[in-house]
Amino acid sequence: MSDCCGGACHAPTAVGHAGSEHAHGHRFWKSTGTLALVAAGVLIAAGVLASVSDAPAVSTVAYLLAIALAIPAPAGRAWRSLRARSLDINALMVVAVAGAIALGEWFEASTVVWLFGIAQLLERWSQQRARRAIRDLMTLAPATAVVRDAAGDREVPVDHVHVGDRILVRPGARVPLDGTVASGYSAIDQSPVTGESWPVDKAPGDQVYAGTINGSGALEVEVTHVAADSTLARITTLVEQAQAQRAPIQQWVDRFARRYTPAVILLAIALALVPPLVAGGDAATWVYRALTLLVVACPCALVISTPVSIVAALAAAARGGVLIKGGAHLERLGAVTCVAFDKTGTLTGDSLGVADVRAVDGTSADRVLAAAAAIEQSSEHPIARAIVAYARAANVPVDAGSDFRALPGFGAEATYAGTEAIVGSHRLFEERQLCTPSLHAEVEEIEEAGRTPVLVGLGGTGIGVLGMIDEARDSGRLAIESLRAAGISRVALLTGDRSAVASQIADQVGVDEAHGDLLPPDKVAHIERLRRGHGPVAMVGDGINDAPALAAADVGIAMGVSGTDVALETADVALLTNDLSSVPFALRLGRATVRRIRSNVAIALALKGAFVVAAAAGLATLWMAVLADTGASLLVTANSLRLLRAR
Ligand code: ADP
Ligand code: MG
C-alpha cells in the first residue's frame, strides 16, 4: 500500500528514479492541479462568506463546486490503487469526503479535499527540492567541448570526444571532460566537484575534472575519460544509486505504516458500529467520528519525513565533497564509535618525495631510478607517483615497463629492459631473497634516517634503494581532534609501512594506537579486533591494499581523488578531496540524520496519538484532522530539509 498522502510517492524512493516520464506527469499535475486547488480555495472562501451573510444555497453550491474541482486527482489515484488491490490514503480520503457529503456536511467535505490537496502539493515540493539538490550536481559539466586538432578548433558535443583528444578550456569556462593538462597554467575552482574552497593551481601533467571552473589561464587538456566515465558522472550515478537503497530505519518506518493504516481502519469501523449498536448512540455522530479517525489514519508525516531526510543528507554530503553510496551507510556512519586510518595516501601523501637514491654493487643511481620509474609508471600508489615525478625532474628517461603487476602491501613488478624488474619493501625483498649485504647496509642507513626504503631489483638481484620522506597531512591532526570532540572513543593507524614510521606518524597526528608491517589480511584482522573492543568501525583508506579492510569495516571510506578505483568501488563512502576533515563531517551528518528521523517519527506519532483520542472522544472535526496532518507533514519536512544546510 502506498501510504503517504501524495500519489506521487508510489514508493518514497522514487525520488531518485524520476525519469522523464515521471517528470512530465509532475509538470502536468502541477499546472492543472495547482490551478484547481487555487480555484477551490477561492470557492470555499466564497462559500464561508455566503453562509455568514445568510445565503445557504449559494454557499452549498460554492462548496460543491470546490469539491468537484479538488476531488478528481485523489479519486483517480484511489481508483488505481483499488484496482491494484490495495487500500491507499487516497481511498480513505474519498470515503471520508463521501461520508461527509452523505451527512450533509458540505463545508467539512470541501475543506477536507482541499487541505488534502495542499498536503500533497507540499509533499511533492519537498521531495523535488531534495531531488533538485542532487540534480544540480549533474548539470555541472558543459554539453560541448572545443576540440583542437590539425584542422583547427571546433565545438563538438562532449559525447563525441574521445580519450586522447586535445580540448581547449578557455579562461572562466567550465571544464567539459576529465583530462590532464597538456599545456598552459591556471588555477581551477574545484569546489563544484570536490567541495574544496580554494582554487587549485594546475600545470602541465595535472589532472582536471569535468564540472570544475577554470580561472584566468587557457588550458589545453588531453582527455583521459569519455564523458560518461568522468569523475562527475561517476559521482552522480553513485548518488542516484544511493537513493534507491533503503536505510534500515526507513524500512522500519514503512513496515510500521503498513500495519498502522489497517489498524486505524478497523478501529474506525468499530467506532462507527459499536457505540450505536451496543449503547444506542446516535449513528450520525459516531459515523462522523469514525470518518475523522479515517483521516487521521494517513501516516503521511511519518512516511515522507524519512526519505526526505536521507535525500537531503546525501545532497548535503555531496556538496561538501563527500559521496555516500546509500541511506544505510549514512545510518551506520551515525553509529560509528571507532575510526581506523591507513597511512600512505590517506594520513600522508601530499608531501611524499624521494630523498635518497642509493645504488649498490657498481650500478649507477640513474639506472636504479630508471628501473624504478619504469615499473612505477603503471602504478596508482602514491609512492609510485612520487618516484616517477622525481625521475622526470632529474631528467632520467622514463620508459614504460610491460607486464605490470601490483603486489598490494608489498610493491610492484614489471618487465623492463628485457628482464624482470621489481620495487617494494624490505620485507618483499627478503621474501624473494633478493637482498645482498651491501643492499642491507644501505637499507639500514635509510631507516635510521627515519625514511621509508623502497628497494629496487633488476634481473633477480637488488640494485639499489630509494629513501622516501613522508609527512602527515595537516588536515589529519585536525580531523582526529574533531573526531574525538564528536565522541569517537578509539582512533587507530593501520599501515603496510614499517612500524617505526607508523609510530612516528602516530605521534604527529595523535592516534590511540598504531600498527605497521600489515598486509591486506592483517588490516582486516585489526578492523575485526577494533569492532569487538570498541564497537562499529569506519576505515579510511586509499589503496588496493586497503580494499579488503574497507569492505570489512562497518563503513569503508575511500580517498576519492587520490585513491584507487578499487578502493572507490569497495568503499561505502568516497571523499572527493584529500581534506580529512570530511571524515568527521560525514560522521556528524550521519548522526544528525538519524536524530532527525527519530525526532520526526516522535512528532508524527505524538500528533497522531492525540488525534486518535480526540476523534474518538468527538473533540476533533474532519478538517482539523486534515489540517493537523498537513501541519505535521510540513513540520517534519522542514525539519528534514534543514539537513541540506549541514556543513
Ligand atoms: P599503507 O598501508 O600505509 O597505505 P601500503 O600497504 O600501500 O602502505 O604499502 C606498504 C609498503 O609497501 C610501502 O611502505 C612500500 O614500502 C611498499 N609498496 C607498496 N606499493 C609500492 C609501490 N607501488 N612502489 C614501491 N613500494 C611499494
Ligand atoms: Mg595507502
Side-chain angles (χ1 to χ4, degrees), residues 277-526:
L277 292 181
V278 175
D282 173 39
T285 307
W286 288 101
V287 167
Y288 182 84
R289 289 183 188 180
L291 290 176
T292 313
L293 201 60
L294 273 189
V295 173
V296 179
C298 169
C300 325
L302 192 62
V303 174
I304 64 168
S305 71
T306 326
V308 172
S309 295
I310 286 179
V311 174
L314 292 177
R319 268 198 232 153
V322 179
L323 188 65
I324 300 173
K325 294 190 193 165
H329 307 306
L330 196 58
E331 196 182 329
R332 263 187 273 127
L333 267 173
V336 161
T337 56
C338 171
V339 181
F341 286 95
D342 164 54
K343 182 184 74 76
T344 323
T346 303
L347 278 179
T348 71
D350 284 343
S351 55
L352 196 59
V354 178
D356 285 307
V357 184
R358 307 276 178 88
V360 297
D361 303 334
T363 325
S364 75
D366 275 4
R367 187 163 146 82
V368 172
L369 203 50
I375 309 170
E376 301 286 30
Q377 265 246 301
S378 311
S379 170
E380 291 266 339
H381 203 278
I383 289 181
R385 273 175 289 186
I387 291 175
V388 173
Y390 184 81
R392 289 229 168 88
N395 281 325
V396 170
V398 181
D399 298 332
S402 56
D403 307 326
F404 173 82
R405 204 151 66 88
L407 308 167
F410 281 117
E413 58 187 348
T415 306
Y416 168 67
T419 171
E420 65 221 56
I422 186 165
V423 289
S425 61
H426 193 187
R427 184 168 173 182
L428 171 69
F429 275 57
E430 292 282 2
E431 281 184 19
R432 297 272 179 114
Q433 297 176 326
L434 295 169
C435 277
T436 61
S438 47
L439 197 65
H440 236 127
E442 296 291 352
V443 167
E444 259 163 30
E445 248 177 58
I446 285 176
E447 286 186 349
E448 260 157 39
R451 290 166 187 161
T452 297
V454 169
L455 288 69
V456 185
L458 197 60
T461 164
I463 58 165
V465 194
L466 308 178
M468 311 295 297
I469 40 166
D470 198 4
E471 268 168 38
R473 287 196 166 112
D474 293 336
S475 67
R477 179 173 191 86
L478 295 173
I480 288 166
E481 263 168 29
S482 63
L483 282 177
R484 288 195 200 286
I488 295 298
S489 62
R490 198 83 181 166
V491 183
L493 170 66
L494 307 177
T495 177
D497 204 346
R498 294 177 309 124
S499 297
V501 181
S503 30
Q504 186 188 324
I505 299 291
D507 285 345
Q508 286 176 23
V509 295
V511 296
D512 298 306
E513 49 180 278
H515 307 274
D517 290 316
L518 303 178
L519 292 181
D522 305 330
K523 290 197 180 190
V524 173
H526 274 286

Side-chain angles (χ1 to χ4, degrees), residues 323 325 329 332-333 537-541 549-558 567-568 570-574:
L323 188 65
K325 294 190 193 165
H329 307 306
R332 263 187 273 127
L333 267 173
V537 191
M539 163 83 197
V540 191
L550 290 173
D554 295 271
V555 185
I557 304 178
L568 209 84
T570 336
D572 309 311
V573 176

Side-chain angles (χ1 to χ4, degrees), residues 237-299:
T237 328
L238 284 172
V239 176
E240 272 192 314
Q241 286 167 354
Q243 295 173 69
Q245 275 188 29
R246 333 207 65 197
I249 194 165
Q250 202 170 349
Q251 286 162 358
W252 178 85
V253 167
D254 289 345
R255 264 203 311 278
F256 178 84
R258 259 200 304 276
R259 302 228 176 92
Y260 167 93
T261 310
V264 184
I265 293 170
L266 285 180
L267 204 64
I269 294 173
L271 199 63
L273 295 180
V274 175
L277 292 181
V278 175
D282 173 39
T285 307
W286 288 101
V287 167
Y288 182 84
R289 289 183 188 180
L291 290 176
T292 313
L293 201 60
L294 273 189
V295 173
V296 179
C298 169

Side-chain angles (χ1 to χ4, degrees), residues 11-65:
T13 43
V15 166
H17 287 294
S20 55
E21 173 198 348
H22 236 87
H24 183 75
H26 282 194
R27 230 174 294 124
F28 177 78
W29 193 90
K30 228 174 167 171
S31 50
T32 57
T34 312
L35 265 182
L37 272 183
V38 171
V42 171
L43 281 164
I44 291 172
V48 172
L49 267 181
S51 84
V52 297
S53 48
D54 261 342
V58 176
S59 97
T60 304
V61 170
Y63 293 145
L64 276 174
L65 282 174

